[in-house]
Amino acid sequence: MKTRTLVLGLGNPILSDDRVGLIVARLLGERLTDVDVIEASIAGVSILDEIQGYSRLVVVDSIITGAREPGYLHRFVLEDLGAAVPAVSHHGVGLASTFEVGKLMGYDLPGEVEIYAIEATNTTEFGEDLSKAVEERLDDIVDAILKASFKA
Amino acid sequence: MAKRITIDPITRLEGHGKIEIILDDAGNVDKAFLQVPELRGFEKFCEGRMAEELPRITPKICGVCPTTHHMASGKALDDLFKVDPPPAAKKIREMINSAFMAEDHTLHFFFLGGPDFIVGPDAPAGSRNILGVIEKVGLEAGKQVIAIRRRLRDIITKQGGRVIHPVCNLPGGVSKSVTPEDREEYIQTGKDAVEFSRFALKAFSDIVLENKEYVDLIVGDIYKHRTYYMGLVDSDNKVNFYDGHIRVVDPDGTQYAKFDPKEYLNHVSEHVEPWSYIKFPYLKDVGWKGFVDGKESGVYRVAPLARLNVSDGMATPLAHEEYERMYSVLGGKPAHNTLAYHWARLIELLYASERLLELAQDEEILDPHIRNIPTETPSEGIGVVEAPRGTLFHHYKTDDNGVITGVNLIVATVNNAAALSMSIAKAAKNLIRNGEVSDGLLNMVEMAFRAYDPCLACASHSLPGETPLELTIRDSAGGIVQKIRS
């Protein structure tokens, strides 16, 4: 069994701040040795294709809660995401459901799952640039994740 | 003063679809609307780019249907550069497209729509999901779902050229031919997909059609609308996802129009409601008469049930048998029953699998001639394909050098926007009377929603969380009267 860690950056690279997960994953990869990094624009069950065989998973993504300032780094563990609910779209088949399905199927899934979600301002406008507020916080975000999850 | 009832998805996302139900003064349902988050600036984003970039850019709009966008985009480029791909290229594209259709329909049925039937509409919310489905059909069957989906995706990856989004389409053809080794794999996947599809239809038959309650729900009035229907058909008027003419039938099933996809804008107009930026397409010559049924209303539907309704049948034998069976149970064509979308989707799954196998077995698919080089000066191009959720339309304009000056996309779900609103309103009507909201409203509305399998702008891939619905009932002053959550 692998004892490897996967850093999975999720996001849409052409929807402005939604790109931040991909960028942060890449930056983490530049600072870490001995982890795999995947940048992907996927959701739902497709995630199962990528995460098998790793002992630890760190997901990085964007989020808009409106409750925090742009660039704020939320941290969750898988258990925070709650139980599976009836989905109404493919995006609604979330991480929690995906993991439950994967476990049921007997897949070799990571035992430790952390999710970092970066508060974004704009994820509905096409563009390849991050908003200023998020861009300015990139280094702090990377440092915070390295410290909290990689003791680096 | 009209009251508004809002069904708001609780999601850490930017806000997927939001359903608003508007009551009249007596507290009964007047109208319902689905709002989706607007994705702004796509045309601006594309202007100034080379047209050849569009098959790589447009798949990024939607994480669920990248393949479909790639296909529509490739066809738009063929038209733009006035070049016809060689037969092998068209077959390769159609094969990839069929694999995608099969994968998507499989996923939808087992993860999204299936829970409504296989687990049961009255089952507790907590079990109306894929886990409940697996419990009902068995773990082995559940494993088959995941496995066949993976193998269909492998076809797209291998032949499409990239892990997540296909990149193979070029103006005039594709970039990669089919090797004999890969072809053997595709044939085997096709065969297994056909078997799997038959299993899925049998499960539907055993679990759903043998259950009188479910059948009543399907044929009942709550989920029924007499609308026009639209879809692509081949030269025999059989369903085709990749190419052909657009055919429209009226609520009685008579052909209303049949035209080259390039003539789309002559037949479809868009209506704008003041409360929403969503444009509701409708049949231009029939006219917009509001969110109403009937021959006088220009509202039309697309996607599985619509495609079967507009066709004279399925082009492959096993799927055609199932097509005949469905219409025999439903009492003839066209079928207006919204929940029958799930059934039609499974029939399309079978057709996509048979078609995939047919194309993989076709000797011509090994032909190394997979591209005709464009020689004409570009100006304007239109490409139309059938996406899992309906007709998808790409329209590009460029200067003489092929630099984009204009882009217009009509995505599949938008064609169904008016019908979806009507279906939600109708489902809600029976459950909201005189301002009183019955239990089960949320569930009934969700069921209508899921039948259409709407792709809500596919705004982003932000944190794949759950998307429960929340119903918020407000009085006319905006205060919260009641909240119902799923």
Side-chain angles (χ1 to χ4, degrees), chain B residues 323-359:
Chain B
Y323 160 104
E324 304 220 283
R325 183 176 179 214
M326 183 184 83
Y327 283 113
S328 152
V329 169
L330 295 179
K333 285 186 75 179
H336 296 296
N337 321 80
T338 305
L339 295 184
Y341 262 82
H342 293 296
W343 196 348
R345 193 171 287 112
L346 291 178
I347 297 172
E348 284 196 335
L349 167 60
L350 180 53
Y351 162 63
S353 304
E354 287 182 279
R355 185 66 181 139
L356 158 63
L357 179 57
E358 222 170 59
L359 288 162

mmCIF file of all heavy atoms in Angstrom, chain B residues 323-359:
data_model
loop_
_atom_site.group_PDB
_atom_site.id
_atom_site.type_symbol
_atom_site.label_atom_id
_atom_site.label_comp_id
_atom_site.label_asym_id
_atom_site.label_seq_id
_atom_site.Cartn_x
_atom_site.Cartn_y
_atom_site.Cartn_z
ATOM 1 N N TYR B 323 -37.668 1.275 -27.497
ATOM 2 C CA TYR B 323 -38.420 2.475 -27.908
ATOM 3 C C TYR B 323 -39.882 2.098 -28.146
ATOM 4 O O TYR B 323 -40.801 2.746 -27.649
ATOM 5 C CB TYR B 323 -37.740 3.025 -29.160
ATOM 6 C CG TYR B 323 -38.513 3.953 -30.065
ATOM 7 C CD1 TYR B 323 -38.263 5.318 -30.043
ATOM 8 C CD2 TYR B 323 -39.438 3.467 -30.994
ATOM 9 C CE1 TYR B 323 -38.919 6.181 -30.925
ATOM 10 C CE2 TYR B 323 -40.102 4.328 -31.850
ATOM 11 C CZ TYR B 323 -39.835 5.678 -31.824
ATOM 12 O OH TYR B 323 -40.489 6.525 -32.690
ATOM 13 N N GLU B 324 -40.101 1.031 -28.870
ATOM 14 C CA GLU B 324 -41.474 0.614 -29.179
ATOM 15 C C GLU B 324 -42.209 0.219 -27.903
ATOM 16 O O GLU B 324 -43.396 0.525 -27.723
ATOM 17 C CB GLU B 324 -41.471 -0.564 -30.168
ATOM 18 C CG GLU B 324 -40.692 -0.202 -31.423
ATOM 19 C CD GLU B 324 -41.334 -0.701 -32.691
ATOM 20 O OE1 GLU B 324 -41.207 -1.905 -32.953
ATOM 21 O OE2 GLU B 324 -41.932 0.127 -33.413
ATOM 22 N N ARG B 325 -41.485 -0.446 -27.026
ATOM 23 C CA ARG B 325 -42.098 -0.867 -25.770
ATOM 24 C C ARG B 325 -42.529 0.342 -24.947
ATOM 25 O O ARG B 325 -43.639 0.375 -24.415
ATOM 26 C CB ARG B 325 -41.101 -1.707 -24.984
ATOM 27 C CG ARG B 325 -41.714 -2.219 -23.718
ATOM 28 C CD ARG B 325 -40.808 -3.125 -22.937
ATOM 29 N NE ARG B 325 -41.557 -3.503 -21.721
ATOM 30 C CZ ARG B 325 -41.020 -3.710 -20.559
ATOM 31 N NH1 ARG B 325 -39.722 -3.592 -20.408
ATOM 32 N NH2 ARG B 325 -41.760 -4.039 -19.524
ATOM 33 N N MET B 326 -41.654 1.324 -24.866
ATOM 34 C CA MET B 326 -41.977 2.503 -24.065
ATOM 35 C C MET B 326 -43.246 3.183 -24.574
ATOM 36 O O MET B 326 -44.146 3.507 -23.798
ATOM 37 C CB MET B 326 -40.820 3.508 -24.079
ATOM 38 C CG MET B 326 -41.109 4.734 -23.188
ATOM 39 S SD MET B 326 -39.840 6.014 -23.231
ATOM 40 C CE MET B 326 -40.311 6.924 -24.698
ATOM 41 N N TYR B 327 -43.319 3.404 -25.873
ATOM 42 C CA TYR B 327 -44.490 4.108 -26.405
ATOM 43 C C TYR B 327 -45.752 3.261 -26.283
ATOM 44 O O TYR B 327 -46.854 3.802 -26.137
ATOM 45 C CB TYR B 327 -44.247 4.545 -27.842
ATOM 46 C CG TYR B 327 -43.344 5.766 -27.915
ATOM 47 C CD1 TYR B 327 -42.078 5.692 -28.469
ATOM 48 C CD2 TYR B 327 -43.760 6.974 -27.374
ATOM 49 C CE1 TYR B 327 -41.249 6.816 -28.497
ATOM 50 C CE2 TYR B 327 -42.934 8.091 -27.395
ATOM 51 C CZ TYR B 327 -41.678 7.991 -27.953
ATOM 52 O OH TYR B 327 -40.863 9.095 -27.971
ATOM 53 N N SER B 328 -45.591 1.966 -26.311
ATOM 54 C CA SER B 328 -46.759 1.105 -26.133
ATOM 55 C C SER B 328 -47.297 1.245 -24.708
ATOM 56 O O SER B 328 -48.501 1.383 -24.486
ATOM 57 C CB SER B 328 -46.342 -0.327 -26.479
ATOM 58 O OG SER B 328 -47.109 -1.234 -25.770
ATOM 59 N N VAL B 329 -46.389 1.291 -23.732
ATOM 60 C CA VAL B 329 -46.834 1.457 -22.342
ATOM 61 C C VAL B 329 -47.417 2.853 -22.112
ATOM 62 O O VAL B 329 -48.415 3.006 -21.401
ATOM 63 C CB VAL B 329 -45.656 1.222 -21.371
ATOM 64 C CG1 VAL B 329 -46.013 1.654 -19.959
ATOM 65 C CG2 VAL B 329 -45.230 -0.240 -21.392
ATOM 66 N N LEU B 330 -46.790 3.845 -22.718
ATOM 67 C CA LEU B 330 -47.228 5.218 -22.472
ATOM 68 C C LEU B 330 -48.439 5.610 -23.313
ATOM 69 O O LEU B 330 -48.982 6.694 -23.152
ATOM 70 C CB LEU B 330 -46.071 6.195 -22.740
ATOM 71 C CG LEU B 330 -44.890 6.050 -21.784
ATOM 72 C CD1 LEU B 330 -43.791 7.040 -22.152
ATOM 73 C CD2 LEU B 330 -45.326 6.277 -20.338
ATOM 74 N N GLY B 331 -48.844 4.749 -24.216
ATOM 75 C CA GLY B 331 -50.061 5.033 -24.968
ATOM 76 C C GLY B 331 -49.852 5.859 -26.213
ATOM 77 O O GLY B 331 -50.752 6.582 -26.629
ATOM 78 N N GLY B 332 -48.700 5.745 -26.853
ATOM 79 C CA GLY B 332 -48.506 6.393 -28.149
ATOM 80 C C GLY B 332 -47.529 7.543 -28.118
ATOM 81 O O GLY B 332 -47.017 7.942 -27.083
ATOM 82 N N LYS B 333 -47.317 8.080 -29.315
ATOM 83 C CA LYS B 333 -46.377 9.195 -29.474
ATOM 84 C C LYS B 333 -47.134 10.468 -29.781
ATOM 85 O O LYS B 333 -48.160 10.404 -30.456
ATOM 86 C CB LYS B 333 -45.449 8.921 -30.677
ATOM 87 C CG LYS B 333 -44.393 7.918 -30.435
ATOM 88 C CD LYS B 333 -43.471 7.853 -31.645
ATOM 89 C CE LYS B 333 -42.546 9.067 -31.672
ATOM 90 N NZ LYS B 333 -41.618 9.021 -32.810
ATOM 91 N N PRO B 334 -46.633 11.610 -29.412
ATOM 92 C CA PRO B 334 -45.481 11.810 -28.547
ATOM 93 C C PRO B 334 -45.853 11.556 -27.085
ATOM 94 O O PRO B 334 -47.022 11.652 -26.710
ATOM 95 C CB PRO B 334 -45.140 13.289 -28.766
ATOM 96 C CG PRO B 334 -46.414 13.924 -29.177
ATOM 97 C CD PRO B 334 -47.215 12.872 -29.893
ATOM 98 N N ALA B 335 -44.868 11.215 -26.273
ATOM 99 C CA ALA B 335 -45.122 11.043 -24.847
ATOM 100 C C ALA B 335 -44.845 12.369 -24.160
ATOM 101 O O ALA B 335 -43.791 12.963 -24.345
ATOM 102 C CB ALA B 335 -44.216 9.954 -24.279
ATOM 103 N N HIS B 336 -45.801 12.825 -23.376
ATOM 104 C CA HIS B 336 -45.652 14.133 -22.727
ATOM 105 C C HIS B 336 -45.256 14.017 -21.268
ATOM 106 O O HIS B 336 -45.179 15.020 -20.565
ATOM 107 C CB HIS B 336 -46.979 14.898 -22.821
ATOM 108 C CG HIS B 336 -47.380 15.214 -24.236
ATOM 109 N ND1 HIS B 336 -46.650 16.040 -25.045
ATOM 110 C CD2 HIS B 336 -48.450 14.809 -24.972
ATOM 111 C CE1 HIS B 336 -47.248 16.135 -26.227
ATOM 112 N NE2 HIS B 336 -48.339 15.406 -26.223
ATOM 113 N N ASN B 337 -45.019 12.801 -20.824
ATOM 114 C CA ASN B 337 -44.804 12.572 -19.396
ATOM 115 C C ASN B 337 -43.364 12.873 -19.009
ATOM 116 O O ASN B 337 -42.456 12.149 -19.397
ATOM 117 C CB ASN B 337 -45.107 11.113 -19.058
ATOM 118 C CG ASN B 337 -46.316 10.608 -19.830
ATOM 119 O OD1 ASN B 337 -46.214 10.254 -21.011
ATOM 120 N ND2 ASN B 337 -47.452 10.604 -19.172
ATOM 121 N N THR B 338 -43.187 13.907 -18.206
ATOM 122 C CA THR B 338 -41.837 14.357 -17.853
ATOM 123 C C THR B 338 -41.001 13.257 -17.220
ATOM 124 O O THR B 338 -39.803 13.127 -17.492
ATOM 125 C CB THR B 338 -41.936 15.561 -16.896
ATOM 126 O OG1 THR B 338 -42.751 16.559 -17.515
ATOM 127 C CG2 THR B 338 -40.574 16.150 -16.598
ATOM 128 N N LEU B 339 -41.589 12.440 -16.357
ATOM 129 C CA LEU B 339 -40.803 11.392 -15.698
ATOM 130 C C LEU B 339 -40.337 10.319 -16.672
ATOM 131 O O LEU B 339 -39.406 9.573 -16.384
ATOM 132 C CB LEU B 339 -41.583 10.765 -14.540
ATOM 133 C CG LEU B 339 -41.882 11.714 -13.385
ATOM 134 C CD1 LEU B 339 -42.573 10.973 -12.262
ATOM 135 C CD2 LEU B 339 -40.611 12.394 -12.863
ATOM 136 N N ALA B 340 -40.994 10.252 -17.827
ATOM 137 C CA ALA B 340 -40.545 9.292 -18.841
ATOM 138 C C ALA B 340 -39.184 9.663 -19.404
ATOM 139 O O ALA B 340 -38.571 8.870 -20.122
ATOM 140 C CB ALA B 340 -41.581 9.179 -19.961
ATOM 141 N N TYR B 341 -38.711 10.864 -19.078
ATOM 142 C CA TYR B 341 -37.350 11.238 -19.467
ATOM 143 C C TYR B 341 -36.352 10.203 -18.972
ATOM 144 O O TYR B 341 -35.368 9.891 -19.640
ATOM 145 C CB TYR B 341 -36.974 12.610 -18.885
ATOM 146 C CG TYR B 341 -37.145 13.755 -19.846
ATOM 147 C CD1 TYR B 341 -38.389 14.338 -20.058
ATOM 148 C CD2 TYR B 341 -36.060 14.269 -20.551
ATOM 149 C CE1 TYR B 341 -38.552 15.397 -20.941
ATOM 150 C CE2 TYR B 341 -36.208 15.331 -21.438
ATOM 151 C CZ TYR B 341 -37.461 15.891 -21.625
ATOM 152 O OH TYR B 341 -37.613 16.938 -22.501
ATOM 153 N N HIS B 342 -36.593 9.671 -17.756
ATOM 154 C CA HIS B 342 -35.666 8.684 -17.197
ATOM 155 C C HIS B 342 -35.654 7.417 -18.037
ATOM 156 O O HIS B 342 -34.603 6.813 -18.250
ATOM 157 C CB HIS B 342 -36.068 8.333 -15.763
ATOM 158 C CG HIS B 342 -35.902 9.466 -14.803
ATOM 159 N ND1 HIS B 342 -34.684 10.018 -14.512
ATOM 160 C CD2 HIS B 342 -36.810 10.141 -14.070
ATOM 161 C CE1 HIS B 342 -34.852 10.996 -13.631
ATOM 162 N NE2 HIS B 342 -36.125 11.098 -13.346
ATOM 163 N N TRP B 343 -36.807 7.023 -18.479
ATOM 164 C CA TRP B 343 -36.920 5.823 -19.309
ATOM 165 C C TRP B 343 -36.231 6.068 -20.652
ATOM 166 O O TRP B 343 -35.424 5.271 -21.109
ATOM 167 C CB TRP B 343 -38.402 5.505 -19.504
ATOM 168 C CG TRP B 343 -38.695 4.128 -20.007
ATOM 169 C CD1 TRP B 343 -37.815 3.207 -20.521
ATOM 170 C CD2 TRP B 343 -39.994 3.521 -20.051
ATOM 171 N NE1 TRP B 343 -38.481 2.068 -20.868
ATOM 172 C CE2 TRP B 343 -39.816 2.227 -20.604
ATOM 173 C CE3 TRP B 343 -41.273 3.940 -19.691
ATOM 174 C CZ2 TRP B 343 -40.882 1.349 -20.789
ATOM 175 C CZ3 TRP B 343 -42.330 3.062 -19.886
ATOM 176 C CH2 TRP B 343 -42.140 1.786 -20.433
ATOM 177 N N ALA B 344 -36.568 7.189 -21.258
ATOM 178 C CA ALA B 344 -35.964 7.528 -22.555
ATOM 179 C C ALA B 344 -34.445 7.608 -22.437
ATOM 180 O O ALA B 344 -33.718 7.239 -23.360
ATOM 181 C CB ALA B 344 -36.526 8.855 -23.065
ATOM 182 N N ARG B 345 -33.980 8.064 -21.307
ATOM 183 C CA ARG B 345 -32.532 8.184 -21.096
ATOM 184 C C ARG B 345 -31.870 6.813 -21.135
ATOM 185 O O ARG B 345 -30.778 6.642 -21.683
ATOM 186 C CB ARG B 345 -32.266 8.889 -19.763
ATOM 187 C CG ARG B 345 -30.831 9.347 -19.556
ATOM 188 C CD ARG B 345 -30.681 10.226 -18.324
ATOM 189 N NE ARG B 345 -31.243 11.556 -18.506
ATOM 190 C CZ ARG B 345 -32.310 12.031 -17.878
ATOM 191 N NH1 ARG B 345 -32.934 11.297 -16.983
ATOM 192 N NH2 ARG B 345 -32.748 13.244 -18.126
ATOM 193 N N LEU B 346 -32.521 5.838 -20.552
ATOM 194 C CA LEU B 346 -31.964 4.481 -20.567
ATOM 195 C C LEU B 346 -32.004 3.889 -21.978
ATOM 196 O O LEU B 346 -31.099 3.142 -22.369
ATOM 197 C CB LEU B 346 -32.714 3.573 -19.590
ATOM 198 C CG LEU B 346 -32.498 3.885 -18.119
ATOM 199 C CD1 LEU B 346 -33.341 2.949 -17.257
ATOM 200 C CD2 LEU B 346 -31.036 3.782 -17.725
ATOM 201 N N ILE B 347 -33.036 4.206 -22.725
ATOM 202 C CA ILE B 347 -33.101 3.729 -24.114
ATOM 203 C C ILE B 347 -31.971 4.361 -24.923
ATOM 204 O O ILE B 347 -31.322 3.712 -25.753
ATOM 205 C CB ILE B 347 -34.483 4.034 -24.733
ATOM 206 C CG1 ILE B 347 -35.569 3.280 -23.958
ATOM 207 C CG2 ILE B 347 -34.515 3.666 -26.215
ATOM 208 C CD1 ILE B 347 -36.992 3.643 -24.354
ATOM 209 N N GLU B 348 -31.722 5.632 -24.645
ATOM 210 C CA GLU B 348 -30.605 6.302 -25.326
ATOM 211 C C GLU B 348 -29.268 5.705 -24.889
ATOM 212 O O GLU B 348 -28.320 5.648 -25.682
ATOM 213 C CB GLU B 348 -30.604 7.802 -25.008
ATOM 214 C CG GLU B 348 -31.665 8.577 -25.769
ATOM 215 C CD GLU B 348 -31.385 10.069 -25.748
ATOM 216 O OE1 GLU B 348 -30.706 10.539 -24.804
ATOM 217 O OE2 GLU B 348 -31.845 10.764 -26.672
ATOM 218 N N LEU B 349 -29.184 5.301 -23.643
ATOM 219 C CA LEU B 349 -27.966 4.653 -23.160
ATOM 220 C C LEU B 349 -27.698 3.398 -23.988
ATOM 221 O O LEU B 349 -26.567 3.150 -24.427
ATOM 222 C CB LEU B 349 -28.126 4.300 -21.673
ATOM 223 C CG LEU B 349 -27.105 3.345 -21.049
ATOM 224 C CD1 LEU B 349 -25.700 3.912 -21.147
ATOM 225 C CD2 LEU B 349 -27.451 3.066 -19.591
ATOM 226 N N LEU B 350 -28.743 2.647 -24.218
ATOM 227 C CA LEU B 350 -28.601 1.430 -25.019
ATOM 228 C C LEU B 350 -28.212 1.768 -26.457
ATOM 229 O O LEU B 350 -27.309 1.156 -27.037
ATOM 230 C CB LEU B 350 -29.907 0.622 -24.971
ATOM 231 C CG LEU B 350 -29.955 -0.693 -25.750
ATOM 232 C CD1 LEU B 350 -28.799 -1.610 -25.383
ATOM 233 C CD2 LEU B 350 -31.284 -1.400 -25.506
ATOM 234 N N TYR B 351 -28.862 2.769 -27.028
ATOM 235 C CA TYR B 351 -28.524 3.178 -28.400
ATOM 236 C C TYR B 351 -27.065 3.648 -28.471
ATOM 237 O O TYR B 351 -26.317 3.259 -29.369
ATOM 238 C CB TYR B 351 -29.453 4.302 -28.877
ATOM 239 C CG TYR B 351 -28.907 5.055 -30.076
ATOM 240 C CD1 TYR B 351 -28.690 4.405 -31.301
ATOM 241 C CD2 TYR B 351 -28.555 6.390 -29.981
ATOM 242 C CE1 TYR B 351 -28.154 5.075 -32.388
ATOM 243 C CE2 TYR B 351 -28.021 7.069 -31.061
ATOM 244 C CZ TYR B 351 -27.813 6.414 -32.260
ATOM 245 O OH TYR B 351 -27.273 7.086 -33.319
ATOM 246 N N ALA B 352 -26.644 4.474 -27.503
ATOM 247 C CA ALA B 352 -25.269 4.985 -27.513
ATOM 248 C C ALA B 352 -24.279 3.825 -27.452
ATOM 249 O O ALA B 352 -23.242 3.832 -28.124
ATOM 250 C CB ALA B 352 -25.040 5.938 -26.347
ATOM 251 N N SER B 353 -24.603 2.810 -26.653
ATOM 252 C CA SER B 353 -23.720 1.647 -26.527
ATOM 253 C C SER B 353 -23.677 0.841 -27.816
ATOM 254 O O SER B 353 -22.599 0.438 -28.276
ATOM 255 C CB SER B 353 -24.183 0.750 -25.373
ATOM 256 O OG SER B 353 -24.249 1.489 -24.169
ATOM 257 N N GLU B 354 -24.863 0.613 -28.399
ATOM 258 C CA GLU B 354 -24.894 -0.132 -29.666
ATOM 259 C C GLU B 354 -24.164 0.635 -30.752
ATOM 260 O O GLU B 354 -23.453 0.053 -31.587
ATOM 261 C CB GLU B 354 -26.340 -0.372 -30.113
ATOM 262 C CG GLU B 354 -27.108 -1.401 -29.307
ATOM 263 C CD GLU B 354 -28.509 -1.600 -29.876
ATOM 264 O OE1 GLU B 354 -29.412 -0.778 -29.572
ATOM 265 O OE2 GLU B 354 -28.707 -2.563 -30.627
ATOM 266 N N ARG B 355 -24.345 1.945 -30.750
ATOM 267 C CA ARG B 355 -23.738 2.779 -31.806
ATOM 268 C C ARG B 355 -22.221 2.806 -31.643
ATOM 269 O O ARG B 355 -21.474 2.734 -32.621
ATOM 270 C CB ARG B 355 -24.319 4.200 -31.710
ATOM 271 C CG ARG B 355 -23.880 5.151 -32.807
ATOM 272 C CD ARG B 355 -24.405 4.742 -34.158
ATOM 273 N NE ARG B 355 -23.945 5.670 -35.188
ATOM 274 C CZ ARG B 355 -23.535 5.295 -36.404
ATOM 275 N NH1 ARG B 355 -23.538 4.018 -36.737
ATOM 276 N NH2 ARG B 355 -23.142 6.188 -37.291
ATOM 277 N N LEU B 356 -21.781 2.889 -30.393
ATOM 278 C CA LEU B 356 -20.350 2.845 -30.100
ATOM 279 C C LEU B 356 -19.751 1.551 -30.652
ATOM 280 O O LEU B 356 -18.724 1.558 -31.342
ATOM 281 C CB LEU B 356 -20.147 2.945 -28.583
ATOM 282 C CG LEU B 356 -18.862 2.427 -27.958
ATOM 283 C CD1 LEU B 356 -17.670 3.193 -28.459
ATOM 284 C CD2 LEU B 356 -18.943 2.555 -26.437
ATOM 285 N N LEU B 357 -20.428 0.449 -30.383
ATOM 286 C CA LEU B 357 -19.954 -0.855 -30.850
ATOM 287 C C LEU B 357 -19.932 -0.914 -32.384
ATOM 288 O O LEU B 357 -18.954 -1.346 -32.991
ATOM 289 C CB LEU B 357 -20.852 -1.958 -30.281
ATOM 290 C CG LEU B 357 -20.523 -3.393 -30.671
ATOM 291 C CD1 LEU B 357 -19.091 -3.757 -30.287
ATOM 292 C CD2 LEU B 357 -21.503 -4.371 -30.023
ATOM 293 N N GLU B 358 -20.991 -0.437 -32.987
ATOM 294 C CA GLU B 358 -21.110 -0.418 -34.449
ATOM 295 C C GLU B 358 -19.949 0.338 -35.078
ATOM 296 O O GLU B 358 -19.326 -0.113 -36.037
ATOM 297 C CB GLU B 358 -22.396 0.344 -34.785
ATOM 298 C CG GLU B 358 -23.248 -0.211 -35.877
ATOM 299 C CD GLU B 358 -24.606 0.517 -35.917
ATOM 300 O OE1 GLU B 358 -24.624 1.751 -36.094
ATOM 301 O OE2 GLU B 358 -25.621 -0.188 -35.758
ATOM 302 N N LEU B 359 -19.679 1.512 -34.530
ATOM 303 C CA LEU B 359 -18.613 2.354 -35.090
ATOM 304 C C LEU B 359 -17.244 1.723 -34.854
ATOM 305 O O LEU B 359 -16.380 1.749 -35.739
ATOM 306 C CB LEU B 359 -18.668 3.752 -34.470
ATOM 307 C CG LEU B 359 -19.847 4.594 -34.949
ATOM 308 C CD1 LEU B 359 -20.091 5.766 -33.995
ATOM 309 C CD2 LEU B 359 -19.621 5.119 -36.364
#
